Amino acid sequence: MNLRDSSYIAAGEMNGIEQLVTCFYTVMSELPEAAKIRDMHPSDLTTSIDKLSCFLSGWLGGPRLYAEKYGAFGMPQVHKHLNVTELERDAWLLCMFHALEQQLSYTEPFKKYMLRQLAIPAERIRLVCSGS
Ligand code: HEM
């Protein structure tokens, strides 16, 4: 087992990731600070939940389900039609912070690690998408 596999396992494998992402989108639907980014998504979040879960599976070192189901993934490309400034980036990360907090099986260091790692693509998206 290498470090990347251990992230996938620490996240609870696919069941745990799906729980985290479902929680993430529930928070996004409820948190006033996230209203704007929630509105960027379709009203039915089923596909959004599946896509982010499949992506995170591969990103955490588990099976590369996104590529299998949905094809190639370009992080900035799938967001480039959106206007993502610091506000939207921080709202996204805030939803993830609350979702991580609700995962009782996650250790504190793993929650912190996840948030730090997710801040990297979130910032990349902001750089590409601010002002679009
Ligand atoms: C920076 C703030 C972000 C905002 C505002 C944002 C917003 C969005 C929106 C509105 C969609 C389209 C959803 C849909 O049409 O179903 C989307 C798709 C997606 N996002 Fe983000 N996102 C952000 C950051 C991230 C990050 C950090 C990741 C990964 C770690 C990510 C992964 C994805 C994935 C996998 C999809 C599905 C792409 C597809 O196949 O359509 N997003 N995002």
Side-chain angles (χ1 to χ4, degrees):
M1 183 168 89
N2 63 34
L3 193 64
R4 280 182 60 75
D5 293 335
S6 70
S7 290
Y8 177 70
I9 289 163
E13 305 187 36
M14 197 47 181
N15 276 344
I17 293 172
E18 276 169 348
Q19 254 185 53
L20 171 70
V21 173
T22 303
C23 201
F24 167 78
Y25 275 115
T26 303
V27 173
M28 192 187 285
S29 302
E30 289 171 354
L31 209 66
E33 296 96 311
K36 198 169 155 205
I37 61 171
R38 174 62 184 87
D39 283 349
M40 294 174 172
H41 290 78
S43 52
D44 181 351
L45 289 168
T46 314
T47 306
S48 307
I49 291 171
D50 190 55
K51 283 181 166 178
L52 185 55
S53 302
C54 288
F55 172 79
L56 288 178
S57 170
W59 190 75
L60 290 166
R64 297 181 179 279
L65 301 177
Y66 186 96
E68 276 173 30
K69 264 178 108 165
Y70 298 109
F73 178 77
M75 179 72 75
Q77 284 75 14
V78 299
H79 296 92
K80 71 172 188 294
H81 60 293
L82 305 169
N83 184 22
V84 181
T85 68
E86 286 176 9
L87 276 179
E88 289 77 25
R89 178 202 63 194
D90 290 350
W92 194 98
L93 290 169
L94 184 65
C95 295
M96 192 52 86
F97 168 80
H98 286 298
L100 286 164
E101 280 305 300
Q102 291 178 40
Q103 305 313 303
L104 300 179
S105 60
Y106 289 12
T107 63
E108 287 305 318
F110 182 67
K111 290 189 251 183
K112 287 205 175 75
Y113 170 80
M114 280 283 282
L115 209 59
R116 265 203 323 273
Q117 293 303 308
L118 287 166
I120 298 167
E123 171 59 6
R124 256 184 77 212
I125 292 166
R126 182 196 70 81
L127 284 171
V128 174
C129 303
S130 54
S132 53

